[in-house]
Amino acid sequence: MGEHSAEPDRGDREERRRRLTRRTLLAGGAAGAIGVGGFAARDTLSRWWWRYSGTETPREEGEVDHPGAEWIPASSANYRRASRPRDYAIDRVVIHMPEATYPITLRVFQDPGHGAAAHYVLRSDDGHVAQLARELDVAYHAGNRAFNERSIGIEHEGWADDPSYLTDVMYESSARLVAGICDRYGIPVDREHIVGHNEVPDVIRTCPGPHWDWDRYLELVAGAAG
């Protein structure tokens, strides 16, 4: 009778082991799933957290990105603080013509009610460069949010239908500016990456206009880039 009573005990022990093993596997699987989810979440965070860090990027008032540029800040309402290229890769330069003189262009970009500004403005008669927004930041110049985030905008004093403003000195100064930008961000010197405002998607503009000499300009940029 004792031997008979011992048999169910062994069966009970085997059943308990099977149940324990099953619970362990289920618990382990759940833990594994949680672990994978946790790693996935951390991976997602690691890929996206930097998009929101731009406002904390240290900078000095009056600091410029292009040697020799004059710091004339646009209204803070006309650009957005960022941390490019950390948060948004820079792979385009957009060429503009403001349909205005140099001083009026500066004044408009300093008006908080205007809602737009370029990073740089060039003067026609001597090629002088004013910087209005840091290249770190997203200036509202292209009329297209994605292009604003990926590009640097450069205004050239003058009117699209008046070639007299397209002076040699302004072309050359602009070419040096763009060569430096392309070097800083690894942007190819070609017409795919250096574009007119009229080529920005979903934007109806004529600037820089029919008189802008793209062949000459790209040759100057390539020469300045060395």
Side-chain angles (χ1 to χ4, degrees), residues 29-39:
I34 293 169
V36 170
F39 280 121

Side-chain angles (χ1 to χ4, degrees), residues 183-203:
D183 181 63
R184 280 192 286 282
Y185 305 107
I187 302 173
V189 178
D190 59 33
R191 286 289 284 114
E192 180 181 352
H193 297 86
I194 303 171
V195 302
H197 192 189
N198 61 309
E199 297 170 288
V200 173
D202 305 320
V203 172

Side-chain angles (χ1 to χ4, degrees), residues 8-209:
D9 290 342
R10 287 197 297 271
D12 289 344
R13 286 196 297 271
E14 290 297 329
E15 180 62 24
R16 283 196 295 270
R17 277 198 296 271
R18 283 195 297 271
R19 290 176 181 173
L20 179 61
T21 300
R22 178 175 172 78
R23 284 197 300 271
T24 301
L25 288 172
L26 289 173
I34 293 169
V36 170
F39 280 121
R42 285 196 294 274
D43 182 60
T44 300
L45 287 172
S46 71
R47 285 186 280 112
W48 287 97
W49 71 268
W50 41 265
R51 288 191 178 274
Y52 304 96
S53 62
T55 56
E56 303 303 322
T57 301
R59 63 195 71 201
E60 293 184 16
E61 183 65 27
E63 186 177 10
V64 296
D65 298 293
H66 178 65
E70 180 184 6
W71 178 247
I72 304 177
S75 167
S76 60
N78 297 335
Y79 67 91
R80 184 172 85 241
R81 282 176 69 103
S83 186
R84 302 189 309 167
R86 185 181 181 188
D87 47 4
Y88 302 103
I90 298 173
D91 64 1
R92 293 291 190 277
V93 177
V94 180
I95 302 300
H96 298 265
M97 188 162 285
E99 306 290 315
T101 62
Y102 174 83
I104 288 176
T105 303
L106 296 180
R107 191 157 63 245
V108 167
F109 289 164
Q110 291 175 318
D111 176 4
H114 181 61
H119 291 91
Y120 295 97
V121 179
L122 275 77
R123 194 161 57 204
S124 173
D125 63 358
D126 61 359
H128 181 70
V129 179
Q131 182 165 1
L132 287 84
R134 291 293 308 278
E135 292 174 7
L136 285 166
D137 297 328
V138 177
Y140 305 149
H141 65 93
N144 177 301
R145 178 170 180 163
F147 251 77
N148 285 340
E149 290 170 349
R150 74 190 300 180
S151 68
I152 291 172
I154 304 173
E155 292 278 4
H156 299 78
E157 180 183 19
W159 281 259
D161 62 354
D162 186 351
S164 68
Y165 279 87
L166 299 176
T167 62
D168 292 344
V169 68
M170 186 168 71
Y171 267 126
E172 292 162 3
S173 177
S174 179
R176 289 191 296 272
L177 169 61
V178 173
I181 292 167
C182 290
D183 181 63
R184 280 192 286 282
Y185 305 107
I187 302 173
V189 178
D190 59 33
R191 286 289 284 114
E192 180 181 352
H193 297 86
I194 303 171
V195 302
H197 192 189
N198 61 309
E199 297 170 288
V200 173
D202 305 320
V203 172
I204 301 174
R205 295 285 292 179
T206 59
C207 73

